[in-house]
Amino acid sequence: THGGLVSLRACTLFRWMRPNIVDRPLPRGKHEVVSQSAFSHLFSEFVQYCQARSSTASELEKKLEEAGATIGVRVLELVNLRDGKTRRETRMLGMLQYVHTSLWKSLFGRAADGLEKVVESEDEFMISETEPLVNQFISVPPNLSNLNCAAFVAGIVRGALEAAGFPASVTAHTVALDTGGSRTVFLVKFEPEVLAREKSLAGA
């Protein structure tokens, strides 16, 4: 009808006038913060969505990791723009420190708890977090007792590293503490070409 056509045109015009989210200026100072309860509810629903399409804990973790990797690519670009970062990191430790501090602060409001190098291997590092936000409100069923939802964060780290030119595998592991409790360790293992580049730069 004529009235319906006018209404459709009005809605189309309204959508056209609204600024696209990617065209909005980046906020200065404090960034917008999503409430913890809202994030927990959304993430729980996403885990259930992936669980319904997985038969094992490892398969579910893989889906969470792949989803996180796509986010990591975009988060790195956003954090670089917000920080006004124009120089590209070329060294492994420098890139990991950037992930450990700037990237983590953008995602979780603070730096990760720790960053260590694996003594026995020159291409492996560990980012540690005592209580990852993604694990705080997840009730793991008995048949998925080995599930670690921090695989989602591992995927974010992997995606960010790959986007920065540091391809690596990143896995999340729960490690028991001598004082009781546990922490999550994100094991980063760089691909051979990254290590070769590192040695070349160190010798330059």
Side-chain angles (χ1 to χ4, degrees):
T1 63
H2 181 70
L5 182 59
V6 171
S7 176
L8 178 61
R9 285 176 176 172
C11 290
T12 303
L13 178 62
F14 175 70
R15 286 196 298 270
W16 179 80
M17 293 175 63
R18 290 173 59 190
N20 189 297
I21 189 170
V22 298
D23 294 330
R24 297 175 188 170
L26 291 171
R28 300 296 179 186
K30 288 188 176 180
H31 302 153
E32 295 181 9
V33 178
V34 177
S35 71
Q36 186 169 302
S37 59
F39 169 80
S40 300
H41 175 73
L42 180 61
F43 186 68
S44 177
E45 290 294 318
F46 176 64
V47 172
Q48 291 179 57
Y49 173 85
C50 293
Q51 181 184 350
R53 291 156 177 78
S54 306
S55 55
T56 64
S58 59
E59 188 178 346
L60 174 52
E61 286 181 353
K62 186 63 178 176
K63 291 184 183 300
L64 293 175
E65 181 193 342
E66 290 299 330
T70 62
I71 293 173
V73 174
R74 292 164 174 79
V75 168
L76 178 70
E77 182 179 3
L78 178 61
V79 175
N80 284 344
L81 288 171
R82 281 176 169 166
D83 291 350
K85 188 177 179 64
T86 57
R87 187 177 67 85
R88 178 175 173 269
E89 291 288 348
T90 58
R91 306 298 295 269
M92 291 192 303
L93 185 57
M95 186 61 211
L96 284 172
Q97 288 173 335
Y98 188 67
V99 170
H100 168 267
T101 54
S102 298
L103 192 74
W104 224 266
K105 284 180 181 178
S106 178
L107 291 169
F108 307 113
R110 60 176 180 78
D113 292 331
L115 172 61
E116 309 168 56
K117 186 181 184 304
V118 177
V119 179
E120 300 84 2
S121 181
E122 56 185 347
D123 60 350
E124 293 184 356
F125 293 79
M126 297 183 294
I127 299 174
S128 60
E129 187 79 343
T130 302
E131 193 176 10
L133 178 62
V134 294
N135 284 351
Q136 291 182 20
F137 302 97
I138 297 294
S139 179
V140 179
N143 64 315
L144 297 174
S145 57
N146 295 327
L147 175 66
N148 189 342
C149 290
F152 178 71
V153 180
I156 293 177
V157 174
R158 177 170 69 84
L161 289 174
E162 289 180 351
F166 292 83
S169 63
V170 184
T171 50
H173 307 270
T174 301
V175 179
L177 299 174
D178 295 335
T179 55
S182 63
R183 67 172 179 167
T184 296
V185 171
F186 300 94
L187 179 62
V188 180
K189 182 177 178 61
F190 289 104
E191 294 295 332
E193 61 264 33
V194 179
L195 185 59
R197 183 180 65 206
E198 183 75 12
K199 290 180 178 179
S200 175
L201 291 172

mmCIF file of all heavy atoms in Angstrom, residues 61-89:
data_model
loop_
_atom_site.group_PDB
_atom_site.id
_atom_site.type_symbol
_atom_site.label_atom_id
_atom_site.label_comp_id
_atom_site.label_asym_id
_atom_site.label_seq_id
_atom_site.Cartn_x
_atom_site.Cartn_y
_atom_site.Cartn_z
ATOM 1 N N GLU A 61 36.165 -27.098 22.349
ATOM 2 C CA GLU A 61 37.256 -26.145 22.530
ATOM 3 C C GLU A 61 37.756 -25.630 21.181
ATOM 4 O O GLU A 61 38.103 -24.447 21.046
ATOM 5 C CB GLU A 61 38.400 -26.795 23.302
ATOM 6 C CG GLU A 61 38.110 -26.986 24.787
ATOM 7 C CD GLU A 61 39.270 -27.613 25.522
ATOM 8 O OE1 GLU A 61 40.255 -28.031 24.854
ATOM 9 O OE2 GLU A 61 39.212 -27.700 26.764
ATOM 10 N N LYS A 62 37.793 -26.512 20.185
ATOM 11 C CA LYS A 62 38.242 -26.100 18.856
ATOM 12 C C LYS A 62 37.303 -25.061 18.260
ATOM 13 O O LYS A 62 37.751 -24.083 17.643
ATOM 14 C CB LYS A 62 38.327 -27.322 17.934
ATOM 15 C CG LYS A 62 38.923 -27.029 16.565
ATOM 16 C CD LYS A 62 40.363 -26.567 16.687
ATOM 17 C CE LYS A 62 40.990 -26.326 15.325
ATOM 18 N NZ LYS A 62 42.378 -25.784 15.445
ATOM 19 N N LYS A 63 36.017 -25.229 18.451
ATOM 20 C CA LYS A 63 35.045 -24.258 17.946
ATOM 21 C C LYS A 63 35.207 -22.913 18.658
ATOM 22 O O LYS A 63 35.114 -21.850 18.034
ATOM 23 C CB LYS A 63 33.619 -24.786 18.129
ATOM 24 C CG LYS A 63 33.268 -25.968 17.229
ATOM 25 C CD LYS A 63 31.822 -26.375 17.401
ATOM 26 C CE LYS A 63 31.473 -27.608 16.573
ATOM 27 N NZ LYS A 63 31.681 -27.404 15.127
ATOM 28 N N LEU A 64 35.433 -22.956 19.968
ATOM 29 C CA LEU A 64 35.641 -21.723 20.733
ATOM 30 C C LEU A 64 36.913 -21.015 20.275
ATOM 31 O O LEU A 64 36.943 -19.786 20.132
ATOM 32 C CB LEU A 64 35.723 -22.036 22.229
ATOM 33 C CG LEU A 64 34.450 -22.554 22.899
ATOM 34 C CD1 LEU A 64 34.727 -22.937 24.344
ATOM 35 C CD2 LEU A 64 33.331 -21.505 22.836
ATOM 36 N N GLU A 65 37.959 -21.806 20.030
ATOM 37 C CA GLU A 65 39.227 -21.224 19.589
ATOM 38 C C GLU A 65 39.080 -20.566 18.219
ATOM 39 O O GLU A 65 39.576 -19.450 17.998
ATOM 40 C CB GLU A 65 40.304 -22.306 19.525
ATOM 41 C CG GLU A 65 41.663 -21.768 19.087
ATOM 42 C CD GLU A 65 42.653 -22.855 18.723
ATOM 43 O OE1 GLU A 65 42.432 -24.025 19.116
ATOM 44 O OE2 GLU A 65 43.628 -22.536 18.028
ATOM 45 N N GLU A 66 38.417 -21.225 17.301
ATOM 46 C CA GLU A 66 38.248 -20.665 15.951
ATOM 47 C C GLU A 66 37.437 -19.368 15.998
ATOM 48 O O GLU A 66 37.736 -18.415 15.273
ATOM 49 C CB GLU A 66 37.562 -21.685 15.045
ATOM 50 C CG GLU A 66 38.429 -22.892 14.697
ATOM 51 C CD GLU A 66 39.704 -22.518 13.960
ATOM 52 O OE1 GLU A 66 39.690 -21.503 13.223
ATOM 53 O OE2 GLU A 66 40.711 -23.210 14.127
ATOM 54 N N ALA A 67 36.419 -19.337 16.852
ATOM 55 C CA ALA A 67 35.630 -18.108 16.991
ATOM 56 C C ALA A 67 36.482 -16.993 17.571
ATOM 57 O O ALA A 67 36.421 -15.840 17.127
ATOM 58 C CB ALA A 67 34.419 -18.375 17.885
ATOM 59 N N GLY A 68 37.306 -17.333 18.556
ATOM 60 C CA GLY A 68 38.177 -16.335 19.160
ATOM 61 C C GLY A 68 39.195 -15.789 18.181
ATOM 62 O O GLY A 68 39.529 -14.597 18.210
ATOM 63 N N ALA A 69 39.704 -16.643 17.291
ATOM 64 C CA ALA A 69 40.720 -16.208 16.328
ATOM 65 C C ALA A 69 40.201 -15.105 15.414
ATOM 66 O O ALA A 69 40.925 -14.159 15.092
ATOM 67 C CB ALA A 69 41.199 -17.399 15.507
ATOM 68 N N THR A 70 38.947 -15.206 14.994
ATOM 69 C CA THR A 70 38.388 -14.160 14.121
ATOM 70 C C THR A 70 38.265 -12.836 14.877
ATOM 71 O O THR A 70 38.412 -11.763 14.287
ATOM 72 C CB THR A 70 36.998 -14.580 13.591
ATOM 73 O OG1 THR A 70 36.088 -14.744 14.688
ATOM 74 C CG2 THR A 70 37.092 -15.900 12.840
ATOM 75 N N ILE A 71 38.012 -12.927 16.177
ATOM 76 C CA ILE A 71 37.913 -11.712 17.001
ATOM 77 C C ILE A 71 39.294 -11.110 17.213
ATOM 78 O O ILE A 71 39.475 -9.888 17.193
ATOM 79 C CB ILE A 71 37.246 -12.041 18.349
ATOM 80 C CG1 ILE A 71 35.789 -12.440 18.118
ATOM 81 C CG2 ILE A 71 37.332 -10.850 19.310
ATOM 82 C CD1 ILE A 71 35.085 -12.941 19.357
ATOM 83 N N GLY A 72 40.301 -11.983 17.408
ATOM 84 C CA GLY A 72 41.652 -11.491 17.657
ATOM 85 C C GLY A 72 42.183 -10.611 16.551
ATOM 86 O O GLY A 72 42.864 -9.611 16.806
ATOM 87 N N VAL A 73 41.879 -10.956 15.308
ATOM 88 C CA VAL A 73 42.322 -10.151 14.158
ATOM 89 C C VAL A 73 41.764 -8.737 14.262
ATOM 90 O O VAL A 73 42.493 -7.748 14.075
ATOM 91 C CB VAL A 73 41.872 -10.802 12.833
ATOM 92 C CG1 VAL A 73 42.209 -9.904 11.653
ATOM 93 C CG2 VAL A 73 42.515 -12.170 12.671
ATOM 94 N N ARG A 74 40.489 -8.625 14.605
ATOM 95 C CA ARG A 74 39.837 -7.315 14.672
ATOM 96 C C ARG A 74 40.247 -6.537 15.915
ATOM 97 O O ARG A 74 40.390 -5.306 15.871
ATOM 98 C CB ARG A 74 38.316 -7.514 14.638
ATOM 99 C CG ARG A 74 37.819 -8.024 13.302
ATOM 100 C CD ARG A 74 36.416 -8.590 13.380
ATOM 101 N NE ARG A 74 35.897 -8.956 12.076
ATOM 102 C CZ ARG A 74 36.216 -10.066 11.433
ATOM 103 N NH1 ARG A 74 37.070 -10.925 11.977
ATOM 104 N NH2 ARG A 74 35.714 -10.340 10.254
ATOM 105 N N VAL A 75 40.432 -7.233 17.014
ATOM 106 C CA VAL A 75 40.835 -6.565 18.256
ATOM 107 C C VAL A 75 42.214 -5.936 18.102
ATOM 108 O O VAL A 75 42.451 -4.814 18.555
ATOM 109 C CB VAL A 75 40.821 -7.551 19.441
ATOM 110 C CG1 VAL A 75 41.504 -6.943 20.661
ATOM 111 C CG2 VAL A 75 39.394 -7.925 19.791
ATOM 112 N N LEU A 76 43.133 -6.650 17.465
ATOM 113 C CA LEU A 76 44.476 -6.104 17.274
ATOM 114 C C LEU A 76 44.419 -4.803 16.484
ATOM 115 O O LEU A 76 45.068 -3.815 16.851
ATOM 116 C CB LEU A 76 45.352 -7.119 16.539
ATOM 117 C CG LEU A 76 46.773 -6.616 16.243
ATOM 118 C CD1 LEU A 76 47.589 -6.493 17.516
ATOM 119 C CD2 LEU A 76 47.484 -7.541 15.252
ATOM 120 N N GLU A 77 43.644 -4.791 15.416
ATOM 121 C CA GLU A 77 43.528 -3.580 14.592
ATOM 122 C C GLU A 77 42.937 -2.429 15.400
ATOM 123 O O GLU A 77 43.415 -1.292 15.331
ATOM 124 C CB GLU A 77 42.668 -3.863 13.370
ATOM 125 C CG GLU A 77 42.542 -2.673 12.425
ATOM 126 C CD GLU A 77 41.698 -2.989 11.201
ATOM 127 O OE1 GLU A 77 41.169 -4.119 11.107
ATOM 128 O OE2 GLU A 77 41.574 -2.102 10.339
ATOM 129 N N LEU A 78 41.912 -2.729 16.202
ATOM 130 C CA LEU A 78 41.260 -1.695 17.002
ATOM 131 C C LEU A 78 42.206 -1.134 18.060
ATOM 132 O O LEU A 78 42.300 0.086 18.235
ATOM 133 C CB LEU A 78 40.012 -2.270 17.665
ATOM 134 C CG LEU A 78 39.226 -1.328 18.588
ATOM 135 C CD1 LEU A 78 38.721 -0.124 17.798
ATOM 136 C CD2 LEU A 78 38.063 -2.063 19.237
ATOM 137 N N VAL A 79 42.925 -2.008 18.760
ATOM 138 C CA VAL A 79 43.849 -1.560 19.812
ATOM 139 C C VAL A 79 44.981 -0.735 19.211
ATOM 140 O O VAL A 79 45.395 0.283 19.776
ATOM 141 C CB VAL A 79 44.412 -2.774 20.588
ATOM 142 C CG1 VAL A 79 45.475 -2.323 21.593
ATOM 143 C CG2 VAL A 79 43.296 -3.493 21.325
ATOM 144 N N ASN A 80 45.483 -1.152 18.058
ATOM 145 C CA ASN A 80 46.538 -0.376 17.388
ATOM 146 C C ASN A 80 46.063 1.036 17.058
ATOM 147 O O ASN A 80 46.795 2.013 17.238
ATOM 148 C CB ASN A 80 46.982 -1.082 16.108
ATOM 149 C CG ASN A 80 47.866 -2.279 16.373
ATOM 150 O OD1 ASN A 80 48.405 -2.431 17.462
ATOM 151 N ND2 ASN A 80 48.019 -3.144 15.377
ATOM 152 N N LEU A 81 44.825 1.148 16.573
ATOM 153 C CA LEU A 81 44.278 2.460 16.228
ATOM 154 C C LEU A 81 44.075 3.314 17.463
ATOM 155 O O LEU A 81 44.381 4.504 17.479
ATOM 156 C CB LEU A 81 42.957 2.288 15.474
ATOM 157 C CG LEU A 81 43.051 1.764 14.038
ATOM 158 C CD1 LEU A 81 41.674 1.426 13.490
ATOM 159 C CD2 LEU A 81 43.744 2.788 13.143
ATOM 160 N N ARG A 82 43.559 2.710 18.518
ATOM 161 C CA ARG A 82 43.330 3.468 19.757
ATOM 162 C C ARG A 82 44.635 3.947 20.377
ATOM 163 O O ARG A 82 44.705 5.044 20.926
ATOM 164 C CB ARG A 82 42.566 2.597 20.763
ATOM 165 C CG ARG A 82 41.073 2.514 20.494
ATOM 166 C CD ARG A 82 40.392 1.571 21.459
ATOM 167 N NE ARG A 82 38.947 1.675 21.369
ATOM 168 C CZ ARG A 82 38.107 0.800 21.901
ATOM 169 N NH1 ARG A 82 38.574 -0.253 22.562
ATOM 170 N NH2 ARG A 82 36.796 0.965 21.786
ATOM 171 N N ASP A 83 45.657 3.106 20.297
ATOM 172 C CA ASP A 83 46.954 3.466 20.885
ATOM 173 C C ASP A 83 47.787 4.351 19.969
ATOM 174 O O ASP A 83 48.862 4.818 20.363
ATOM 175 C CB ASP A 83 47.759 2.199 21.215
ATOM 176 C CG ASP A 83 47.147 1.408 22.358
ATOM 177 O OD1 ASP A 83 46.223 1.936 23.021
ATOM 178 O OD2 ASP A 83 47.589 0.267 22.601
ATOM 179 N N GLY A 84 47.305 4.571 18.748
ATOM 180 C CA GLY A 84 48.077 5.352 17.792
ATOM 181 C C GLY A 84 49.359 4.656 17.391
ATOM 182 O O GLY A 84 50.365 5.300 17.063
ATOM 183 N N LYS A 85 49.320 3.333 17.385
ATOM 184 C CA LYS A 85 50.527 2.540 17.097
ATOM 185 C C LYS A 85 50.737 2.460 15.588
ATOM 186 O O LYS A 85 49.896 1.947 14.869
ATOM 187 C CB LYS A 85 50.381 1.140 17.694
ATOM 188 C CG LYS A 85 51.636 0.287 17.635
ATOM 189 C CD LYS A 85 51.395 -1.045 18.322
ATOM 190 C CE LYS A 85 52.600 -1.947 18.263
ATOM 191 N NZ LYS A 85 53.749 -1.405 19.001
ATOM 192 N N THR A 86 51.838 2.986 15.128
ATOM 193 C CA THR A 86 52.140 2.973 13.692
ATOM 194 C C THR A 86 53.325 2.073 13.362
ATOM 195 O O THR A 86 53.455 1.620 12.235
ATOM 196 C CB THR A 86 52.454 4.400 13.205
ATOM 197 O OG1 THR A 86 53.546 4.936 13.977
ATOM 198 C CG2 THR A 86 51.236 5.305 13.363
ATOM 199 N N ARG A 87 54.180 1.804 14.347
ATOM 200 C CA ARG A 87 55.346 0.949 14.094
ATOM 201 C C ARG A 87 54.990 -0.508 14.371
ATOM 202 O O ARG A 87 54.471 -0.843 15.418
ATOM 203 C CB ARG A 87 56.522 1.369 14.982
ATOM 204 C CG ARG A 87 57.821 0.638 14.648
ATOM 205 C CD ARG A 87 58.957 1.156 15.514
ATOM 206 N NE ARG A 87 58.751 0.808 16.907
ATOM 207 C CZ ARG A 87 59.104 -0.365 17.450
ATOM 208 N NH1 ARG A 87 59.654 -1.304 16.672
ATOM 209 N NH2 ARG A 87 58.913 -0.593 18.717
ATOM 210 N N ARG A 88 55.279 -1.363 13.432
ATOM 211 C CA ARG A 88 54.959 -2.785 13.558
ATOM 212 C C ARG A 88 56.008 -3.502 14.395
ATOM 213 O O ARG A 88 57.210 -3.297 14.221
ATOM 214 C CB ARG A 88 54.892 -3.405 12.156
ATOM 215 C CG ARG A 88 54.608 -4.890 12.111
ATOM 216 C CD ARG A 88 54.462 -5.336 10.676
ATOM 217 N NE ARG A 88 54.350 -6.780 10.565
ATOM 218 C CZ ARG A 88 55.387 -7.598 10.409
ATOM 219 N NH1 ARG A 88 56.615 -7.080 10.336
ATOM 220 N NH2 ARG A 88 55.220 -8.901 10.322
ATOM 221 N N GLU A 89 55.550 -4.337 15.317
ATOM 222 C CA GLU A 89 56.474 -5.139 16.116
ATOM 223 C C GLU A 89 57.165 -6.171 15.220
ATOM 224 O O GLU A 89 56.526 -6.797 14.379
ATOM 225 C CB GLU A 89 55.727 -5.864 17.237
ATOM 226 C CG GLU A 89 55.190 -4.954 18.340
ATOM 227 C CD GLU A 89 56.300 -4.413 19.232
ATOM 228 O OE1 GLU A 89 57.447 -4.898 19.154
ATOM 229 O OE2 GLU A 89 56.007 -3.481 20.013
#
